[in-house]
Amino acid sequence: MDLTMFLSIIIGAIFINNFILSKFLGLCSFIGISKETKPALYMGISVTFVTTCASIITWAIYNFILVPCHIEYLRTISFILVIASFVQFVEMVIKKFSRALYRTLGIYLPLITVNCAVFGVAVLNSEMFFKPGINMLTSFTLSALQGFCVGLGYILVMLFMSGIRERLELCDIPPSFKNAPIAFIIASLMSMAFMGFSGFRF
Amino acid sequence: MLIPILTMSIMGLLFGLGLAYASKIFRVDVDPKIDMVIHALPGANCGACGMAGCANLAEAIVGGKAEVTACAPGSQEVYDKIAGILGVGIKVKKKKIARVRCNGGKRSSDKYEYSGLKKCAGANLLAGGNKECRFGCLGFGDCVEICPFDAIHLNGNDIPVVDGSKCTGCGKCVGACPKKIIILGNADDKVYVKCLSHDKGAVVKSICPAGCIGCRICEKLSGGVFLVENNLSRADYSRAKPDTPWQAVIEKCPTKCIVKT
């Protein structure tokens, strides 16, 4: 648990293994909410919050329920269960205590409930860190860090994409390419650019 | 076999009960009036009121943050219905109409030749448009395109003309114009100043034959209804009297930038 490990997780999660552009997770929200910068940023913040919390909760579920009962193979279904209920719970709390926050983030929370990126983080964490060789505290810190950095990578790409699409609104695009098709083409070009990061592995 | 089934069922049961309990604790009471107001509104979600949709407006009206008459395309019937639900009286809303405050168009000289996308928003990105006058209409008709009621058309001079009988005062064109030339004015105003230029008179004369040069003739003739501030005439309708000589002001304006509504 030294500095290089932290650094490799941070850079790896944000750039090299960027969830949207390298792992192709969370694409529905990536295309759906990237038309304007502001909602894209709010969505990114919500996703970061949920991925961080989901990493912590799934760590607890895996290590304190699944491992003692020897039912690690039920990982998928139990993670889905816990993430979905957690997001629902957060939505209720926000709705009760901050109407302003609910108006900005609330509409995105149901989208995150079924977002594959959130589930992807949990699975990735369990594959990378929840091993007999790594002690509990290390795996906890690294999972939380990875959850947070995946969120940061998501925000980064959402901001890129929404910035490009805002400018696209003013461009002369052939009618058949308008809206989604041109967004897909741009996404693929950006994805190829991000694949360049795999060149320097840490 | 028993352990996995038990663990999953218990986990599911716990989460389910937890959520059910949480929903009871964190319950937010919704005013039933909001639902009734939503049904009374047109339900087009046009956004002309400035809110994201009819549901948001209904919430604002019930919360007292918006007027009963805030729905721009709504008719008197809609306002009456909403007022009935809330149990309040309403003020009769003054009809608003879009006013285009530029009369230059093709007559005002160009700064450069623009050959990009034929849209005001696009031209505006290039040094504020191709017109010498930095306040004036670019004439590509972004407002014509966005008008949901087909009330705006370009005249031969590339200046948008608003059809008063079709305009509902929704204000979409106000947002679409990158030069902020269009405003919403009261439908019963008699005249308005069809120029926005704060340039000095000599500058205006050299680039546009139809701009306000700040000569103050209107100010003297109308007895203070028109005010020239910053080289631009502005009508203060609150000071208008029944005998204000509107016709004389229109006729005497040397560049004819004061026009009848």
Side-chain angles (χ1 to χ4, degrees):
Chain A
M1 191 174 160
D2 52 0
L3 196 66
T4 37
M5 191 149 184
F6 278 117
L7 213 62
S8 70
I9 287 175
I10 293 171
I11 293 177
I14 297 180
F15 296 109
I16 303 168
N17 295 321
N18 187 291
F19 260 51
I20 297 178
L21 294 180
S22 298
K23 287 198 182 297
F24 309 118
L25 292 170
L27 288 179
C28 34
S29 54
F30 171 57
I31 296 294
I33 320 176
S34 61
K35 273 199 152 177
E36 280 168 69
T37 307
K38 222 172 158 190
L41 180 66
Y42 285 141
M43 177 70 186
I45 293 170
S46 322
V47 167
T48 310
F49 176 72
V50 173
T51 48
T52 313
C53 296
S55 299
I56 295 168
I57 296 174
T58 49
W59 172 83
I61 294 284
Y62 193 85
N63 283 306
F64 296 128
I65 295 178
L66 299 190
V67 173
C69 299
H70 303 290
I71 46 169
E72 287 93 338
Y73 59 88
L74 287 177
R75 184 184 66 179
T76 307
I77 190 162
S78 56
F79 281 6
I80 291 176
L81 191 66
V82 70
I83 291 172
S85 3
F86 171 69
V87 176
Q88 291 296 313
F89 179 72
V90 170
E91 192 182 346
M92 279 177 208
V93 173
I94 293 180
K95 199 172 180 180
K96 176 79 180 177
F97 291 110
S98 170
R99 294 296 289 176
L101 195 66
Y102 180 72
R103 262 190 219 111
T104 44
L105 298 188
I107 39 173
Y108 307 123
L109 285 169
L111 285 170
I112 300 171
T113 314
V114 285
N115 194 321
C116 38
V118 180
F119 178 67
V121 178
V123 170
L124 194 69
N125 281 339
S126 67
E127 271 168 9
M128 280 171 76
F129 309 128
F130 304 167
K131 283 182 204 149
I134 303 175
N135 74 39
M136 293 285 257
L137 185 68
T138 317
S139 74
F140 174 78
T141 331
L142 294 182
S143 309
L145 181 72
Q146 172 142 297
F148 181 66
C149 291
V150 161
L152 287 189
Y154 185 90
I155 292 182
L156 185 80
V157 174
M158 285 299 272
L159 285 181
F160 282 168
M161 188 64 173
S162 56
I164 293 174
R165 284 184 79 176
E166 272 185 358
R167 298 218 62 133
L168 268 185
E169 289 286 304
L170 296 174
C171 290
D172 206 3
I173 305 165
S176 50
F177 277 106
K178 275 200 171 144
N179 294 327
I182 193 79
F184 287 144
I185 292 172
I186 288 164
S188 61
L189 290 176
M190 281 167 74
S191 170
M192 275 193 269
F194 261 69
M195 299 253 170
F197 284 118
S198 319
F200 31 102
R201 288 196 187 279
F202 285 84
Chain B
M1 197 56 207
L2 200 60
I3 291 175
I5 294 174
L6 269 182
T7 346
M8 287 314 292
S9 330
I10 291 171
M11 263 170 72
L13 194 67
L14 280 181
F15 286 138
L17 285 177
L19 278 181
Y21 187 60
S23 73
K24 213 169 178 188
I25 296 176
F26 298 118
R27 193 160 58 99
V28 179
D29 290 317
V30 179
D31 197 331
K33 278 184 205 155
I34 293 177
D35 226 31
M36 290 160 78
V37 174
I38 290 175
H39 285 297
L41 288 169
N45 289 321
C46 67
C49 52
M51 310 272 174
C54 292
N56 294 48
L57 179 65
E59 208 176 302
I61 291 177
V62 174
K65 285 182 199 115
E67 291 285 326
V68 174
T69 52
C71 175
S75 59
Q76 195 60 39
E77 195 186 331
V78 171
Y79 306 145
D80 287 341
K81 241 192 231 169
I82 297 173
I85 294 166
L86 299 183
V88 295
I90 51 168
K91 289 177 279 183
V92 175
K93 191 186 171 191
K94 276 190 179 167
K95 189 177 186 296
K96 296 271 186 188
I97 265 184
R99 298 251 185 269
V100 182
R101 295 178 297 169
C102 178
N103 209 4
K106 276 182 188 160
R107 288 186 286 170
S108 74
S109 48
D110 284 356
K111 190 156 53 179
Y112 58 85
E113 198 162 313
Y114 177 72
S115 58
L117 183 65
K118 298 277 176 245
K119 275 194 171 185
C120 305
N124 190 41
L125 285 176
L126 258 181
N130 55 334
K131 290 287 173 206
E132 196 95 67
C133 174
R134 63 202 158 98
F135 304 96
C137 174
L138 300 174
F140 294 111
D142 280 16
C143 47
V144 177
E145 214 168 283
I146 202 154
C147 181
F149 305 101
D150 195 32
I152 308 183
H153 296 282
L154 293 181
N155 66 9
N157 228 346
D158 275 357
I159 287 291
V161 176
V162 179
D163 182 345
S165 58
K166 284 184 186 166
C167 178
T168 60
C170 72
K172 286 230 162 182
C173 46
V174 176
C177 179
K179 288 294 190 184
K180 304 272 165 276
I181 286 164
I182 307 176
I183 50 157
L184 292 181
N186 287 328
D188 51 1
D189 293 339
K190 298 275 191 297
V191 300
Y192 71 104
V193 181
K194 211 168 164 58
C195 181
L196 258 190
S197 171
H198 287 296
D199 281 334
K200 288 213 172 90
V203 179
V204 174
K205 262 190 174 164
S206 69
I207 56 177
C208 178
C212 174
I213 52 177
C215 64
R216 295 180 189 265
I217 291 178
C218 47
E219 207 176 287
K220 281 167 209 144
L221 272 177
S222 64
V225 176
F226 286 88
L227 288 171
V228 175
E229 284 168 345
N230 216 346
N231 302 311
L232 179 64
S233 173
R234 183 173 66 83
D236 185 353
Y237 301 108
S238 63
R239 300 169 68 153
K241 292 182 212 68
D243 59 341
T244 304
W246 300 114
Q247 198 53 43
V249 173
I250 294 172
E251 276 163 19
K252 285 279 154 52
C253 177
T255 56
K256 301 280 172 257
C257 67
I258 296 177
V259 296
K260 240 175 123 164
T261 52

